[in-house]
């Protein structure tokens, strides 16, 4: 029950760095950014597939997708803000809060 969410969170972190982490290095050409991003994507993909297969009996597909996508949104936000130094406006924070509410609604069984 704990390992699957941790694996999905880790996968979300790796994917977020693969998506936007290379933007900090403006001197890299496209091919360098692509290759280094793929080095992050391969372990992310392995973690994602293993966690979804192992978690199938404990979580629904929708719940695991919500964990993975939610962690991706969280980590993209943190990387953009803390690593890339981007500023976020109130509308972006509101949007992220609404996404968090949606993820909680997907995860909680009523």
């Amino acid at each position: 029950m704990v390992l699957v969410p941790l694996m999905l969170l880790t996968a979300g972190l790796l994917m977020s760095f693969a998506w936007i982490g290379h933007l900090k290095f403006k001197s890299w050409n496209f091919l360098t950014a692509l290759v280094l991003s793929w080095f992050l994507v391969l372990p992310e993909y392995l973690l994602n597939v293993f966690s979804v297969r192992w978690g199938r009996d404990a979580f629904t597909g929708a719940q695991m997708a919500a964990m993975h996508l939610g962690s991706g949104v969280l980590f993209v936000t943190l990387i953009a803000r803390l690593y890339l130094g981007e500023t976020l406006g109130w509308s972006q924070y509101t949007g992220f809060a609404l996404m968090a509410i949606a993820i909680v609604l997907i995860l909680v069984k009523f």
Side-chain angles (χ1 to χ4, degrees), residues 2-75:
V2 175
L3 183 61
V4 170
L6 287 176
M7 290 172 71
L8 289 169
L9 283 171
T10 305
L13 177 64
L14 289 172
M15 188 54 147
S16 298
F17 265 109
W19 281 340
I20 65 171
H22 59 86
L23 296 177
K24 187 166 186 157
F25 304 98
K26 295 178 184 177
S27 64
W28 290 357
N29 63 32
F30 174 77
L31 187 58
T32 302
L34 179 70
V35 169
L36 292 175
S37 292
W38 273 99
F39 278 118
L40 292 173
V41 170
L42 180 59
E44 179 274 338
Y45 188 74
L46 292 171
L47 276 170
N48 200 17
V49 171
F50 280 127
S51 63
V52 168
R53 293 193 59 87
W54 290 339
R56 183 66 178 116
D57 293 332
F59 303 100
T60 66
Q63 288 174 318
M64 289 185 286
M67 284 185 263
H68 182 59
L69 295 173
S71 67
V73 169
L74 171 68
F75 287 127

